[in-house]
Amino acid sequence: MFSFFKKNPPVEASAATDAKTATPLATEPTSTSVNPVVPAGRQSWLARLKAGLGKTAAGISSVFGGTRIDEALFEDLESALLMADAGVAATETLIADLRRKAKDTKAQTPAQLKTLLIDGLTQLLSPLEKPLTLGPQLPTVIMVAGVNGAGKTTSIGKLTHRLADEGATVLLAAADTFRAAAREQLTVWAERNTVEIVSQEGGDPAAVSYDAVCAGKARKKDVVLIDTAGRLPTQLHLMEELKKMKRVVQKAGEASGLGNCPQEVLLVIDGNTGQNALAQVRAFDDALGLTGLIITKLDGTAKGGVLAAIARERPVPVYFIGVGEKLEELETFNAREFAQALLE
């Protein structure tokens, strides 16, 4: 199994230092063009990813069904990428790169051109490929934001499962206090993953976050995961509240001796929303300074090209991508795997 995070070494190693803090848990996947031996579990995941991106792949791959490379093919490919929500900037970049590579390699067939496009898309997406790291001081505090319906709380549950599976201790913070169902849902995830949770009925979200950070430090947890209320970036008063939560978390980190907190600010976005997902990344990044993304609901989407738009216009790392509702259906992002699933 490929690890989805690693731990940074501590600033000063000592005999009393928890060994977990200094030890990388495993090697994260890379975007190398060499085909490595893929573990069986990863192969199963890749099959699900390819199936999930099938609608997007069908729209793009149909362009390469002919027998020759001509201007009509490039025009059809441009339209297909735009229809897949790759965006104008990323589409222009990919097409220009593909034209150059086709000329340099003297490509003769659409199949050869398709292979070159996979390479070009991999290169474009590579800046998004980055592992989530824990430490050097623990707990690592992670705020998770997103609009209603994006799968934020479910993604937190899946992430908790993966963290716990890798041996990390997790404390959940139910800071979405406006929606009772969210608190109940997070409590269910806490019980399923056998982790602790800090929750207050009708409490202030910032206060819950503050208490969770302090509790995470006192209880010597590896990770504090803070669930925030879902909101649209156009809801300015709610976005201001989200900024307040981050400031309070920073104060809690200072009070607990953790330094700058939160170390990670993640945004969960629905892969089916296409260019709207890019708009969300821009808005939340401007407000909070995002460190990573979780892309959900890629199963059955015809808009999988949006990751190319994100890579070209706002390259916030994609830590995880998800297809389906099962616990194991949240995996690390790998640029080449994604390009192959999107185009093969």
Side-chain angles (χ1 to χ4, degrees):
M1 182 179 71
F2 285 82
S3 174
F4 64 99
F5 74 92
K6 61 182 180 179
K7 293 186 179 182
N8 283 326
V11 178
E12 292 182 7
S14 67
T17 301
D18 188 339
K20 292 188 299 180
T21 307
T23 305
L25 297 181
T27 302
E28 64 273 9
T30 65
S31 59
T32 177
S33 59
V34 178
N35 291 324
V37 176
V38 181
R42 191 73 179 183
Q43 289 177 341
S44 175
W45 156 253
L46 294 178
R48 294 197 303 272
L49 177 62
K50 188 171 183 179
L53 292 172
K55 288 184 180 179
T56 306
I60 301 175
S61 295
S62 62
V63 173
F64 300 98
T67 57
R68 64 175 185 170
I69 299 174
D70 54 20
E71 190 60 30
L73 188 155
F74 282 105
E75 291 178 359
D76 289 344
L77 178 59
E78 181 177 8
S79 297
L81 289 171
L82 291 173
M83 288 294 291
D85 273 333
V88 174
T91 296
E92 290 178 347
T93 297
L94 288 169
I95 294 295
D97 177 71
L98 188 60
R99 288 181 182 276
R100 178 182 58 79
K101 287 180 177 177
K103 181 178 180 180
D104 291 345
T105 62
K106 296 180 173 58
Q108 299 295 317
T109 67
Q112 292 173 326
L113 197 67
K114 187 177 183 179
T115 299
L116 293 176
L117 180 58
I118 291 174
D119 290 338
L121 182 57
T122 299
Q123 184 178 8
L124 179 64
L125 295 175
S126 290
L128 303 183
E129 188 178 312
K130 179 183 176 183
L132 175 64
T133 58
L134 304 185
Q137 288 191 323
L138 299 176
T140 295
V141 180
I142 304 174
M143 282 184 63
V144 185
V147 304
N148 286 323
K152 175 173 55 65
T153 305
T154 299
S155 294
I156 290 173
K158 291 180 179 180
L159 179 53
T160 301
H161 173 75
R162 296 301 300 272
L163 285 162
D165 192 51
E166 291 285 346
T169 56
V170 181
L171 177 67
L172 297 179
D176 185 356
T177 59
F178 295 110
R179 191 167 62 95
R183 187 173 64 255
E184 293 169 0
Q185 185 182 7
L186 199 66
T187 300
V188 170
W189 282 114
E191 292 173 351
R192 290 179 64 181
N193 291 303
T194 320
V195 300
E196 297 179 53
I197 184 170
V198 173
S199 177
Q200 296 177 10
E201 184 176 354
D204 178 70
V208 174
S209 302
Y210 188 97
D211 290 346
V213 173
C214 296
K217 174 66 173 179
R219 301 176 194 178
K220 298 182 179 180
K221 300 296 184 182
D222 292 322
V223 180
V224 174
L225 268 173
I226 302 175
D227 184 18
T228 65
R231 63 207 60 207
L232 295 172
T234 53
Q235 296 172 309
L236 299 181
H237 63 295
L238 293 181
M239 291 297 285
E240 287 300 319
E241 181 186 273
L242 202 55
K243 294 178 185 178
K244 174 189 172 183
M245 288 181 63
K246 184 180 180 183
R247 292 194 299 270
V248 169
V249 168
Q250 290 172 333
K251 291 179 181 178
E254 294 169 359
S256 301
L258 296 176
N260 188 33
C261 288
Q263 292 91 339
E264 300 284 347
V265 181
L266 309 186
L267 177 68
V268 178
I269 54 178
D270 182 342
N272 281 295
T273 57
Q275 286 294 301
N276 188 42
L278 175 59
Q280 291 174 30
V281 173
R282 289 196 191 103
F284 280 91
D285 190 30
D286 289 343
L288 298 175
L290 298 175
T291 61
L293 304 176
I294 299 176
I295 314 295
T296 67
K297 305 181 183 181
L298 285 175
D299 43 324
T301 182
K303 300 181 178 181
V306 69
L307 264 69
I310 291 172
R312 177 64 177 79
E313 299 183 46
R314 193 62 69 101
V316 178
V318 176
Y319 286 148
F320 313 104
I321 53 178
V323 289
E325 294 296 324
K326 296 180 181 179
L327 280 174
E328 64 273 14
E329 291 174 332
L330 183 74
E331 264 293 353
T332 46
F333 172 75
N334 179 284
R336 178 159 291 275
E337 290 175 355
F338 191 87
Q340 290 172 332
L342 197 64
L343 296 172
E344 289 185 344

